[in-house]
Amino acid sequence: MPLFGNKFSPKKTSPRKAPSLSNLSTDPDFREQELSLDYGPIQVKLGNNEVTFENGQWISETSGAATVHREMAKIKKQSQQLIEENNLLKMKVDILLDLLSETTAEVHLQENEIDELKNLNRNKKR
């Protein structure tokens, strides 16, 4: 006889029945719209004011404020992209200038070495 018996072993639960989909439309678009996780933008209406939550910010839908706000966000995003592109181009120009100065220095060294060799060759001929 076991010390604790079967007091601590849970009983098996009966398997669940599959839920019926008969109350839902068989139209896949309807099911996608009703059961998907895509809720769209969150909209709240308080009195005469309506706001929408988009991209982490509340945007007022009253009058033309929403379109102005969207345009401002678009312009800010474009400005940020141009700033990043400008920084990348500046870095590329700096790298090219470094390469140019290195190549120029090597050419001057080679020219000096050629001149020294010519002088040595002239001195030997005399």
Side-chain angles (χ1 to χ4, degrees):
M1 182 175 225
L3 182 61
F4 295 110
N6 287 335
K7 291 181 183 178
F8 295 107
S9 62
K11 294 182 180 179
K12 291 185 178 180
T13 58
S14 61
R16 295 183 181 183
K17 294 181 181 178
S20 172
L21 295 177
S22 62
N23 60 347
L24 297 175
S25 172
T26 57
D27 182 26
D29 294 331
F30 175 77
R31 275 194 265 159
E32 173 74 22
Q33 183 180 10
E34 291 295 319
L35 300 176
S36 71
L37 295 176
D38 184 22
Y39 302 116
I42 299 171
Q43 295 180 340
V44 177
K45 186 172 185 179
L46 299 172
N48 293 334
N49 297 329
E50 186 174 334
V51 292
T52 304
F53 190 74
E54 291 181 4
N55 299 328
Q57 293 183 348
W58 288 100
I59 301 171
S60 174
E61 295 292 331
T62 57
S63 67
T67 56
V68 170
H69 190 282
R70 286 190 185 109
E71 286 295 319
M72 287 285 290
K74 183 179 175 183
I75 289 172
K76 283 183 182 179
K77 183 178 178 182
Q78 186 179 18
S79 173
Q80 184 63 31
Q81 288 175 343
L82 290 173
I83 288 170
E84 290 174 4
E85 183 180 357
N86 192 20
N87 289 339
L88 177 67
L89 291 173
K90 284 180 181 179
M91 188 184 320
K92 286 182 176 182
V93 166
D94 286 342
I95 291 171
L96 288 173
L97 286 174
D98 288 345
L99 290 172
L100 179 65
S101 62
E102 182 180 338
T103 305
T104 304
E106 287 177 2
V107 167
H108 284 299
L109 286 174
Q110 289 174 352
E111 286 176 352
N112 290 340
E113 189 175 337
I114 289 172
D115 288 342
E116 288 177 8
L117 290 173
K118 284 181 181 178
N119 288 337
L120 283 175
N121 193 18
R122 285 182 195 157
N123 289 338
K124 282 185 181 180
K125 288 183 179 180
R126 288 183 188 177

